[in-house]
Amino acid sequence: MKFLDQAKIYVRSGDGGDGVTAFRREKYIEFGGPDGGNGGRGGDVIFEAVPNLNTLIDFRYTQHFRARKGGNGAGSDRTGAAASPVIIKVPIGTQIMDDDRVTLLADLNEAGKRITLCRGGDGGYGNAHFKSSTNRAPRRSDKGWPGEERWVWLRLKLIADVGLVGLPNAGKSTFLSVVSAAKPKIADYPFTTLHPQLGVVRLSMTEEFVVADIPGLIEGAHEGTGLGDRFLGHVERCAVLLHLIDGAAGSVVDAWRTIRHELAAYDGGLAEKPEIIALNKMDAMTPREASSRRAALEKASGAPVVLISAATHQGVPELLRMLQNQVTETRKNADKNPA
């Protein structure tokens, strides 16, 4: 299935049903009177986050969603039927943006979370509603109220605990395939990963976390260079960023600074997230090269650097334990201080 994380759709709730003008007329009944019923309510447009979806591809082919109009009233004080709502199911982590693509209308970040985006119009009153002691035969009935309509953008931000960032060919896809059951494409050329990938890492029966691998960033990504920085939205919700750096490339400090600059330029709070730096491909370096490059990177970043080799699994278990500890700590803080 093709991955799609943005879509523009049109939604419209149903109009309310019309009220009716009617009078009671029965044989052998001397006094009649107004008995026109009210119109029914129009259908709402509701968005619901469901766990069995992971892409917005369905909205590429269906872009218009309209709820039905409420039923009209009838004589004998019969109210029109209310229209059923239109429930639009989206993946967990979907944000609903206004047509300006800036205003956030809803964030469906939990399974089962619902939002009524467009409310159906109320039904119009029938003439029985207007009867009074001074107006015994009203001939007024109202039309139903119109529904709401709007164009909205859907933007999917994957729900993951750990986000993988780094330059192309840093070994992110190899790392994801080693630590989880995910099967991302792996090749020896840049931009092998074109769409975000998710993998579940299980350390024990009670410990697991989700890793998100996004396409590699290059210098100028925030200006649209390469694949751009649009996919960084998928790691905005992560508890920790795992910054993988290709140790065999040589210029490890420049690689780290390039990614840090792009994270800061994205301005989504990514630069402030906890970061674990891993120098990958230690199997392709001599011990002296690994030691000197690690020291240079620690001096530039001011943080400890983990040496790993995703291909040979060296250092990977220790790195996964560090990630799990960070994720566990973040979850505990979230439980203590719910938003």
Side-chain angles (χ1 to χ4, degrees):
M1 179 182 294
K2 182 175 176 59
F3 183 86
L4 187 70
D5 63 350
Q6 287 190 10
K8 185 179 182 181
I9 63 172
Y10 170 84
V11 292
R12 192 186 196 289
S13 57
D15 297 337
D18 300 335
V20 69
T21 299
F23 292 89
R24 177 185 178 192
R25 288 183 175 85
E26 296 182 40
K27 192 175 183 180
Y28 306 121
I29 301 297
E30 183 178 359
F31 300 103
D35 66 351
N38 301 331
R41 184 180 177 83
D44 298 333
V45 177
I46 300 173
F47 285 84
E48 179 184 7
V50 295
N52 58 340
L53 296 176
N54 54 16
T55 176
L56 299 175
I57 189 64
D58 293 339
F59 300 102
R60 161 113 8 130
Y61 310 106
T62 305
Q63 298 173 340
H64 294 78
F65 297 86
R66 295 181 176 89
R68 297 179 65 87
K69 177 188 175 191
N72 295 333
S76 301
D77 284 322
R78 287 176 292 179
T79 301
S84 301
V86 171
I87 301 178
I88 303 174
K89 297 182 178 181
V90 296
I92 301 173
T94 299
Q95 291 184 333
I96 305 175
M97 316 290 292
D98 202 359
D99 196 21
D100 59 8
R101 304 185 73 171
V102 175
T103 306
L104 178 64
L105 302 177
D107 189 0
L108 304 178
N109 56 359
E110 297 177 0
K113 190 172 183 179
R114 283 189 169 200
I115 180 69
T116 301
L117 190 66
C118 294
R119 301 190 65 85
D122 291 327
Y125 290 128
N127 68 331
H129 175 83
F130 299 102
K131 68 181 178 181
S132 67
S133 60
T134 58
N135 186 11
R136 298 188 177 186
R139 283 169 170 77
R140 172 186 171 183
S141 59
D142 294 345
K143 290 282 189 181
W145 289 88
E148 302 173 345
E149 62 178 342
R150 66 195 315 165
W151 283 92
V152 295
W153 279 91
L154 304 181
R155 184 182 182 190
L156 175 60
K157 293 184 177 180
L158 297 177
I159 303 295
D161 300 304
V162 177
L164 288 177
V165 296
L167 292 173
N169 273 10
K172 301 187 299 298
S173 296
T174 301
F175 178 82
L176 183 66
S177 67
V178 166
V179 301
S180 72
K183 302 297 181 184
K185 183 178 180 181
I186 301 172
D188 59 352
Y189 54 84
F191 299 115
T192 308
T193 301
L194 299 178
H195 305 291
Q197 302 278 343
L198 286 181
V200 179
V201 179
R202 290 186 174 88
L203 296 186
S204 65
M205 294 295 293
T206 59
E207 293 179 311
E208 69 175 32
F209 56 88
V210 180
V211 180
D213 174 26
I214 64 172
L217 301 172
I218 61 174
E219 185 176 358
H222 66 283
E223 299 175 345
T225 306
L227 294 180
D229 63 356
R230 180 167 66 92
F231 293 113
L232 280 176
H234 295 288
V235 296
E236 282 185 23
R237 305 178 191 269
C238 295
V240 58
L241 296 179
L242 174 57
H243 190 165
L244 283 183
I245 299 174
D246 183 0
S251 54
V252 295
V253 174
D254 291 342
W256 175 81
R257 287 175 176 164
T258 297
I259 298 301
R260 293 301 303 177
H261 175 70
E262 296 302 324
L263 295 179
Y266 179 74
D267 194 25
L270 293 178
E272 289 75 35
K273 282 188 175 293
E275 179 189 44
I276 294 179
I277 305 173
L279 196 59
N280 194 17
K281 303 183 182 180
M282 63 179 295
D283 56 307
M285 296 181 285
T286 64
R288 176 176 293 183
E289 289 175 337
S291 177
S292 62
R293 291 170 186 175
R294 179 182 187 179
L297 194 53
E298 288 180 339
K299 181 179 180 181
S301 63
V305 175
V306 182
L307 276 174
I308 69 166
S309 172
T312 63
H313 299 199
Q314 290 177 274
V316 172
E318 294 79 5
L319 176 59
L320 294 181
R321 173 49 57 189
M322 294 175 61
L323 293 172
Q324 180 67 66
N325 292 341
Q326 181 64 51
V327 170
T328 302
E329 181 181 353
T330 302
R331 289 173 179 170
K332 288 182 179 179
N333 293 337
D335 293 338
K336 292 180 182 178
N337 305 302

